[in-house]
Amino acid sequence: MDCWWVSPGGVIHRGATVNLVAIEPRPSQLRGGQERGLFGYMTRLSRRGHQVSLAYVEKGDYLPEYERNGVRSVQIDRSWIEDKRNLRQWAELGRASSNTCFEAADLIYVNQVFDLPVACLAKWRYRKKAFCHLQIPPMPYGLQHDLCRRRVA
């Protein structure tokens, strides 16, 4: 099956592979349907020949399955800020967004609203495209999520 995609420069490619990084705080099948859905999407893309990486915060029981299916896993410090007054969390978020997996990616894939802050920072830092696939409507989580939701599109 042919693959069509648009590079950051706006060039349309046919038959090329995409280097994709997905963000998941804890890849575990015990958490719910979003995590199982992400696992299915990423492993299918990997089987089709795309280079897929998973940026995760905490280890979960899906990690060995991801790796067995050809998805590279990379641990990052954090994907969002819990306390906006905590400077250490901001530093961790900055470190996470500067991970080389984001620099190498053609596309950053976001599966849930909590992952928008690290995706937006990496998108801005490396001038990458981000795709936000929210399967449930986002709830109002405050200023950082409002700003990030506007910046992903």
Side-chain angles (χ1 to χ4, degrees), residues 21-145:
V21 61
I23 303 166
E24 175 57 50
R26 186 167 177 235
S28 173
Q29 60 186 335
L30 303 174
R31 295 191 63 198
Q34 286 182 319
E35 289 76 11
R36 286 191 292 271
L38 180 67
F39 176 77
Y41 302 139
M42 295 305 115
T43 56
R44 282 193 297 273
L45 287 168
S46 177
R47 282 194 297 262
R48 286 186 172 188
H50 300 287
Q51 294 186 19
V52 181
S53 298
L54 178 73
Y56 69 94
V57 178
E58 296 177 36
K59 290 184 179 182
D61 60 343
Y62 260 153
L63 273 183
E65 290 297 317
Y66 271 109
E67 291 171 354
R68 205 173 358 264
N69 283 284
V71 176
R72 181 177 156 247
S73 59
V74 178
Q75 189 166 18
I76 59 175
D77 293 324
R78 110 175 0 262
S79 63
W80 72 300
I81 300 294
E82 295 170 32
D83 178 7
K84 63 184 175 187
R85 294 177 302 269
N86 188 327
L87 295 178
R88 193 169 106 205
Q89 288 183 9
W90 284 100
E92 290 172 350
L93 186 67
R95 245 189 338 268
S97 70
S98 66
N99 192 294
T100 56
C101 70
F102 295 117
E103 185 177 14
D106 298 315
L107 180 69
I108 301 168
Y109 182 95
V110 178
N111 193 42
Q112 49 193 337
V113 72
F114 292 111
D115 307 327
L116 285 172
V118 73
C120 287
L121 281 175
K123 174 188 184 306
W124 172 78
R125 181 184 304 251
Y126 295 117
R127 307 283 190 256
K128 301 296 179 173
K129 298 286 183 185
F131 177 77
C132 192
H133 179 201
L134 300 181
Q135 299 172 43
I136 58 174
M139 296 177 68
Y141 287 109
L143 178 64
Q144 71 175 338
H145 289 92

